[in-house]
Amino acid sequence: QVQLVQSGGGSVQAGGSLSLSCAVSGYRLRVCMAWFRQSPGKEREGVAGSRSDGSTSVTDSVAGRFTISQDNAKNILYLQMNSLKPEDTAMYYCAAVPRRTVYPWCPGLSTDAYVYWGQGTQVTVSS
């Protein structure tokens, strides 16, 4: 059974930093992973994740502040969040899907493409 276990997050003042991690268990092959977030009343949006070629990237809204990294050997995904803003407040979710054997290897930040989801971690940034 595939499970994604998230850790990290919490509350911080604007300008502060937090980090998230997400570990995949129950699956030994390569996976594509991503971070999404959802605020009350808003749709879930992609924040950072694997691109079609398997490399990682972040969206423009967090570029220069968030850094994504992935330990492919252990299927662990990280998100370092610096210079946090109140608008970054949301529930953050990691997601994973088995990496395809043909290009495009990963689905980018398409919410519907991901099969496995973490339990969610709250990130709250106060002004």
Side-chain angles (χ1 to χ4, degrees):
Q1 181 179 1
V2 179
Q3 288 187 320
L4 275 61
V5 179
Q6 297 180 220
S7 60
S11 298
V12 68
Q13 289 189 327
S17 299
L18 290 170
S19 62
L20 303 175
S21 65
C22 174
V24 179
S25 63
Y27 192 81
R28 295 184 179 276
L29 301 180
R30 291 281 298 273
V31 293
C32 302
M33 301 183 73
W35 288 104
F36 294 84
R37 66 185 181 185
Q38 188 168 21
S39 303
K42 295 186 178 180
E43 292 188 355
R44 189 169 297 187
E45 64 170 347
V47 176
S50 302
R51 295 187 292 191
S52 57
D53 61 358
S55 63
T56 55
S57 67
V58 300
T59 58
D60 290 343
S61 63
V62 302
R65 302 187 297 119
F66 290 14
T67 303
I68 184 175
S69 59
Q70 184 170 349
D71 183 333
N72 292 318
K74 298 180 179 180
N75 279 343
I76 300 177
L77 187 69
Y78 303 94
L79 186 68
Q80 178 64 41
M81 303 179 289
N82 298 326
S83 301
L84 282 160
K85 303 176 181 180
E87 51 263 43
D88 295 318
T89 295
M91 185 72 78
Y92 283 70
Y93 298 90
C94 68
V97 63
R99 182 177 169 121
R100 286 165 49 92
T101 56
V102 294
Y103 190 87
W105 296 313
C106 292
L109 294 178
S110 173
T111 306
D112 294 340
Y114 287 85
V115 178
Y116 306 107
W117 291 84
Q119 78 275 21
T121 301
Q122 180 66 38
V123 170
T124 302
V125 185
S126 58
S127 58

